[in-house]
Amino acid sequence: MSQPVLLKVYGNLHPATHHLLNLLRPLEKECLPCPEAGPVFDLDADLLHISFEGLYFPLAAVLDTIEASLDQTQQGKLDFLDLENWTLARYVFKSGHITLKTSPLNNVLDYSGH
């Protein structure tokens, strides 16, 4: 029997380095369930991809790790969808800072600008 998916986490950061990827990779072990379909964090050239679906994602540790490496040139976002509470938290990476915007999932199209 499969476990329910309570969280979906998708994001990207550009430009990113192998050093950041190496800092994030140990955090994959904290994800529940452990990713079997592939890595949570992946680097394609200098584009970091983040993709996870499951029960637990170490959000604070991931954000702390990314924030510690952010510089003025990097841009990206991390969407944290909490299906149990029906909310979206969008973390935007820009100009060396992380900003947060939240919305109920019912309002996602309005929130995303569509």
Side-chain angles (χ1 to χ4, degrees):
M1 183 166 104
S2 66
Q3 295 179 342
V5 171
L6 298 178
L7 303 173
K8 294 185 179 191
V9 183
Y10 305 105
N12 60 70
L13 179 65
H14 178 267
T17 64
H18 283 280
H19 177 70
L20 176 58
L21 179 64
N22 291 336
L23 293 173
L24 290 169
R25 277 277 162 85
L27 297 175
E28 289 181 345
K29 295 175 185 173
E30 296 180 29
C31 295
L32 294 176
C34 294
E36 297 170 359
V40 173
F41 307 103
D42 190 34
L43 195 61
D44 181 11
D46 62 354
L47 178 63
L48 176 70
H49 296 280
I50 302 168
S51 180
F52 172 78
E53 294 184 1
L55 299 175
Y56 174 77
F57 182 82
L59 180 63
V62 169
L63 291 173
D64 288 346
T65 302
I66 290 173
E67 186 173 37
S69 74
L70 276 180
D71 66 33
Q72 297 295 318
T73 66
Q74 293 173 303
Q75 295 184 54
K77 68 177 179 173
L78 181 73
D79 286 343
F80 186 88
L81 291 85
D82 181 340
L83 302 180
E84 184 174 24
N85 295 308
W86 207 244
T87 58
L88 165 69
R90 175 166 286 169
Y91 298 87
V92 177
F93 314 128
K94 188 174 180 181
S95 302
H97 300 286
I98 299 176
T99 57
L100 169 63
K101 296 179 182 179
T102 60
S103 174
L105 285 177
N106 290 342
N107 300 345
V108 167
L109 287 179
D110 293 336
Y111 167 76
S112 66
H114 290 88

